[in-house]
Amino acid sequence: MTQKRDFSQSVSLDIGIDKVCGLIARVKAIDVKEGVTDPDSGSNPIDDGNVDSLTTNPDDMTEEEIREVVAGLNDDERADLIALVYIGRGDMEPQEWADAVRLAREREAASSLSTADWLIGIPNLGDLLDEGLNLLGRSCDEA
């Protein structure tokens, strides 16, 4: 059995754990939503168990909040966020953190797609960020 090495002391994150965990919570709020299944239900939310709260709504600010959070990050924080995705989805190993950050910077410089749009387009982004933190020996329990 292989033991998981603790990288929490060897990896210095430029983004705060609390920012990552706040983003994870917002992303997971989007991940659980589905498309509108009954657009003209007209029923009272209390009567139908508030089921419509799990459907996508044009007035839902969560995606816009994610864009605002990402836009408010500095270059180093955005690079760390992208690198966490790379680590979390297994593209790179935790011991390759410096390379993951370098690739993240290259991705930002070369892409015409904003980092927020790129992140929002990743399925299960919250789980990937959470896994990236865990592989680095960190967790949202620290926040």
Side-chain angles (χ1 to χ4, degrees):
M1 182 168 104
T2 59
Q3 289 186 349
K4 195 158 83 171
R5 189 171 154 213
D6 182 9
F7 291 93
S8 61
Q9 301 305 317
S10 62
V11 172
S12 174
L13 293 176
D14 289 317
I15 188 169
I17 299 290
D18 57 329
K19 287 183 182 180
V20 176
C21 295
L23 197 57
I24 288 171
R26 286 181 174 95
V27 169
K28 286 186 176 185
I30 290 176
D31 285 346
V32 299
K33 296 204 177 221
E34 60 183 39
V36 176
T37 56
D38 186 13
D40 296 319
S41 71
S43 71
N44 183 332
I46 294 171
D47 292 341
D48 66 10
N50 218 12
V51 173
D52 287 341
S53 66
L54 294 177
T55 59
T56 304
N57 181 339
D59 296 329
D60 187 3
M61 291 300 295
T62 309
E63 191 171 309
E64 187 58 36
E65 290 170 358
I66 292 170
R67 291 179 196 288
E68 289 174 8
V69 168
V70 173
L73 299 176
N74 65 39
D75 293 344
D76 295 333
E77 291 172 322
R78 281 193 315 275
D80 277 7
L81 199 59
I82 295 168
L84 280 171
V85 171
Y86 293 159
I87 300 294
R89 70 180 177 194
D91 295 342
M92 303 187 84
E93 297 296 322
Q95 60 268 26
E96 298 175 297
W97 177 253
D99 290 332
V101 172
R102 181 184 50 76
L103 282 175
R105 291 181 192 284
E106 290 174 8
R107 184 236 153 265
E108 269 209 300
S111 180
S112 61
L113 189 64
S114 76
T115 299
D117 287 337
W118 181 75
L119 290 169
I120 289 170
I122 297 173
N124 300 318
L125 175 62
D127 293 335
L128 296 176
L129 290 171
D130 198 28
E131 180 66 14
L133 284 176
N134 289 332
L135 288 169
L136 294 175
R138 309 278 174 68
S139 77
C140 287
D141 295 338
E142 296 175 32

